[in-house]
Amino acid sequence: MNLLKFIVQRKILIGLMVVLIMVFGSIATLKLDKELLPDVGLDGAFVEISAGEMSAIEVERTITNPIEQKVKALDGVESIHSTTNIGQTSLQMTFERGRGEELIKEVEAIVNATKSENSAITDAFAAQFGGSQSYEFFLDVSDGDMSEMTSFAKNILKPRLEQLPEVREVSLSGVVENEVIIEFDRDKIIKNGLDISQVIHAIGEINSESTLGELNKEKESPTLRWDTKLENIEDIKNIRIPSANGSIELKEVANVSLQPKENSSYVWKNGTQDFIFIQVGRTSEFTQIQMAEAIRTEIQKIRDENLVKDFTLNELVAQADYVQDSIDGVTSNILIGGLIAIVVLLLFLRNIRATFIIGLSIPTSVFLTFATMWVFGYSFNMLTLIGLGLGIGMMVDASIVILESIYKKKEQGMASLSAVLEGTKEVAAAVIASMLTTIVVFLPIGLMGGDAGKFTMMLSAVVAITLISSVIIAFTLIPSLSEKILKLRKQKKREKRKFLQRSYNQLVSWTIKKKRHSFAIITLFFLMFVGSLLLVTKIPMAIMPDMYNRYSELMVDLETGVSMEEKRKIAKTIDEKLSSIEDVESNYVINNGDMFFTLINMTKGEDIKREQKEVNEEILKSLRNLDKNYPVEGVQNIMSGGGGSPVQVNIKGESFEKLQEISGDVEKKLQEIEGIVGVKNSMERTSEEQVIQLKQGELKKAGLSQLQIKQFLEQAFLQMPIGNMTFEDEEVPIATKWKESTETKTDLLDIKIPTANGEKKLSDFVELKKVETPNEISHVDGERFMSISADIEGKDLGTINREVQKLIEKYDSPTGYTVSIAGDLEQQQELIKEMILILAIALFLVYFVMAVQFNHLGHPLIVMSVIPMTIVGVILGLFITQMELSIMSGMGIIMLIGIVLNNAILLIDRTNQLRNQGYTVEDALVEAGNNRIRPIFMTTLTTAGGMLPLALASGTASNYQAPMATVIISGLMFATLITLLLIPAVYRLFTTKGTSKKKKKKEKMEIPV
C-alpha cells in the first residue's frame, strides 16, 4: 500500500518514466532485427556432398566412410546418421549440448579436406542446424540465350549486388561454363607406344609456373621464374610428348576443343534448366527487409540502364516480404485492439477521461515490451511475432480491471486518493494471479528439452514480457492518472443496467439457493459438453491450413535412388501437368535427393480467374497420378505435416546380401500380423553392378600383375581433370577422356592389352559377375542399416506396436546383425509422453499459483472446472464458421486455458474477500457477481475484439490466423457465461454455508470438499 501511495503521489516521476519508455521503445522498434526465423545455433550439423553419377556403393566407400571415420574421432560428437544415394551423400550429426559452434568448424575443415582430396566431388556443403539461412532472396534470369544470360549474371548482376553492404554473397546456379576437353585416340596412343598416364603427367607439368631459384650475384638478386602456363587451345595442341619414335605433338594423338560443361543446376523452371537461378545471402549487420530494399533498388537501376534485354530478370522469393507482412499484421492488431478497447470503455463507463487513460496505457505497454525485447537481444521474427500476437490481445485486461475497480470506488463516494488505493488493492492479487496463470501455461512449453526448446523458450519469453509489461503499466500509470484525471460522469439512465443486474442477481440467487439447483446447472453444462462432442465429426480437420497467397509449395516424394535422367523426365512431366492448369503461372522444381521441392506461382490481381483453394485441389489431383508411370511415392502440401510410416523396423549389419536375406524374412513375418499393410524396405530399388573376377592362370602366363590389370581398367574409363587455364579472363578447367567411350561390356572386354606375347583382349584375363547393389545406403554411427516400413489398417498403433515388439524379441538375428523397432512408432510415443507431461506441468503450475493466491487447496479446483467446459464454445465456433481444426486452432485452445481462468479468478477472489468480511456463501456470490460483472464483460469484449480482425481477415495468412482467433473468441464468450453461472454453482455445491457476521463476531468458515 505504501509503495502504491508513493507511486500515486509521484506523478512527475511516472510521467517522465512514460516519456523514457516511449523514447527507448521507439529506438528499440527501429533497432530490433527483422528476420523470418531467429538465428539460433543448434547442437547439430548437416553435410551435403554431390559426386555426379557415381554409384551409391562407390560414394559410400570413397566419401561417406572416410568422413564418418574422421567426424566420429572428434570429441563431442554424439551420433552420426548418413544416407548415401547415387551421386550424393547426406550426413547429420548431433553434438554435446552447447558445443555446436565449436564443432561445426572442425566438421567444415574435414569436409573441405575431403573435397580437395577427391576429384569426383562436385559440390560439398556443411552447416550448423539453426534458424539462420544461407540465402534469403531468390531471383532467376530466363527466357533468353544462355550465353547472354550467363554474361549478364556473372559480369553485371553478381558484382553489382555483391558491392551492396547489405549483401554477403551471390550464388549462381545453371550458368554456362566451358571446359577444355582432350580426347585421346586409343589406337594412336598404342601405335606410338605411349602410356596414357605418362602423357597426362606431361601435360600437367607443362601447364605450370614456379620459382626455380635466385641469381644472388646479379643486381637486386632477381628470382628465376618458370612460366609455361597454357593460354589458349593452340598451346595445348602443340604440347610435345616424348615417345618411342621421338617427340610428337599432342594434336597427333588427341583432339583438343573448348566445350560447354553439362548443366549442373539442381533446379528446373517450367521443366527446363535453361535459366540461371540466383541466391542472395545477407550480412549480419542488416535485416532481411533492408537487404530486400537495397537489392530491389539496385535491380531497378540495372533496368533503368537498359541492361536487361532479350531476357527477363524475375524475383522469385524474398523472405523479407513474409517478415514485413507479419510485422504489419501485428501493428494493425495493436491499433485495432486499442481502438476496440477504447470503444468498449466508452460503452461501459461512458467516460472520456477513463478512455484517455487506457488509450495512453496501450502504447506505453507496447513500447515497454519492445524495449525489453531489445535489451534481451530478441528480434522481430515469426516466433516473437506470434508471442506478441498472443500477448497483445490480453494487454489491456489488467489496466481495465484496475481502472474499473477505482471507478467503482469513486462511484461509492470515496475520496480520490482513497478510491485509487482501495480500488487497486481490492483487485491487485487477482490481477497478478491472472497474469501468472497465463504465463505458466506457456512456461512448460518453453522448458522443453532439445533443440525445439530453444525456439519455444523464445515464444514463451515474449508472451511473458508482454503480460508483465502490461501489468507494470497497470499498477503505475493507471493509479497515477486516475487520482486527478478520472472524474465521474453524471448519473443517468441507470435503470437499464439495474434491470440487467437484477436479472443476473435473480438467476444466481436461484442457482445457489439450493444445492439441487446448483447441481442442475452443472448437469446442464455437462450435457452441453457431451452434446458438443457429437459435432466434432462435422468440423473440417487439417494438420496445417493452406496459406492463400497465390503461391504453393509441394513435396514430391521420389522412390529411393532415382537416377538423374529419371529426375529430368519427372521434372518435365510435372511442368506439363502444371502448365495445363488454369491460373498456374510458373513452377520451380528443386532437386533435394529423394524429394522434389516444388514452388508454384499463380496469377495475381486482375488475372485471377479461380479461387486458390480450387487451384490447389486440381494441382494435387493432377500430380498424384504421377506414381502410375514414374518412381514417385506421393505428393503433399509442404505445410500439411504428417510423418513417415507408422511401423518401421531397422536391421543393422555389414553385408548387403545378408541384410536383404534378413529383411526378406522379417517382411514375411510382418505381413502375417493382422492390421499391417504395405510392407516395403529401403533397398527395393537396386542398381546392377559388374564385379571383376581375375583369371589368375592367364595372368601368370602373360606375365601380368593384378596392379597392371587394375591400371588398364581405370584408364579404360578415363575422365580426369588435370588443371585449369586462363581463357578470355576466365578460369577454364582442362579434362581428359578417350575419344571412343567405354559404354558396354563388349567395349570393355574387347580392349587390347600389350603383353610379352603380343596384344590380347581384356576378356582373356577377366570376367564380369553381375550383382545388385542398393541405390540408397543408410548408416547410424558408421554402421550400415536398412529399414522396413509398413502402414496399419483396422488396428490401433498400440496393438500393432505390441505385436511388432513380440516379433523382434522372438527373432533370432545372426551374429553381427541386430533388428530393432524405430521410426514414427517410437517417436510418436515419445512425443505423446512429452506433451502429456507438459500439459500436466502446466495444469499443476496453474493450480499452484491459484492455491497460493487463495491460500486454499479447494478453490483452485473450482476455478479450473471452467477449463473442460470451454471446449463447448470452441466446438460451436468452429462448427458454425466451418473453420478447420488444425495446429493453429489447437494453439488457440492452449491460449484459452490461461485466458478463461482470469475471469473466474476475479469472481472467486472477490467472493473470498466478501466471505472474510462476514458475508454468507449466497450473499458473497451474489455480491461478487454484482461487483465483477462489468470488468468481466469489459475484459472479455476487449480480448475478443482484439482477435476479431484476425477472425475476419482475408489476406495472405488469413487461414492461419482465422481458426486461432475463432477458437479464442467463441471459447472466451462461452467461458464468460460459464464463469458467471457455473462457478457460483460449483462453489455453492462444494462449500457449506458460512454464518453472517451479525451472528458471530468471528466467523468460522467451512472448507470446501
Side-chain angles (χ1 to χ4, degrees), residues 390 888-889 891-892 895 950 960-969:
L390 302 183
M888 298 309 295
S889 48
M891 283 179 64
M895 280 180 61
L950 301 183
Y960 275 65
Q961 298 168 339
M964 182 175 72
T966 301
V967 161
I968 292 169
I969 291 170

Side-chain angles (χ1 to χ4, degrees), residues 758-770:
E759 288 183 354
K760 290 195 174 184
K761 289 184 178 180
L762 181 61
S763 57
D764 292 337
F765 306 106
V766 302
E767 58 184 5
L768 303 177
K769 179 187 176 184
K770 176 184 171 183

Side-chain angles (χ1 to χ4, degrees), residues 1-51:
M1 183 66 81
N2 290 334
L3 177 61
L4 184 61
K5 191 173 182 180
F6 172 81
I7 289 170
V8 174
Q9 291 175 341
R10 296 293 187 274
K11 294 179 179 61
I12 292 176
L13 172 65
I14 299 300
L16 291 174
M17 289 299 294
V18 169
V19 172
L20 191 65
I21 288 169
M22 293 286 194
V23 171
F24 270 98
S26 301
I27 294 170
T29 307
L30 298 173
K31 292 284 187 180
L32 281 167
D33 195 3
K34 301 169 183 68
E35 55 193 354
L36 190 66
L37 287 170
D39 184 7
V40 177
L42 305 180
D43 297 318
F46 66 93
V47 175
E48 298 285 344
I49 295 177
S50 300

Side-chain angles (χ1 to χ4, degrees), residues 911-923:
T911 302
N912 289 341
Q913 286 178 5
L914 292 169
R915 288 192 67 192
N916 289 335
Q917 292 172 19
Y919 282 71
T920 63
V921 173
E922 292 89 342
D923 292 342

Side-chain angles (χ1 to χ4, degrees), residues 51 206 285 295 303 305 314 348 357 404 424 467 561 662 681 687 738 744 794 816 837 852 925 981 984-985:
I206 292 291
E285 293 82 17
I295 291 171
R303 292 186 193 279
E305 293 169 22
N314 309 294
F348 278 86
I357 293 170
E404 194 277 338
T424 306
L467 294 178
I662 297 169
N681 71 64
S687 295
W738 292 113
T744 67
L837 179 64
V852 172
L925 285 168
L981 274 181

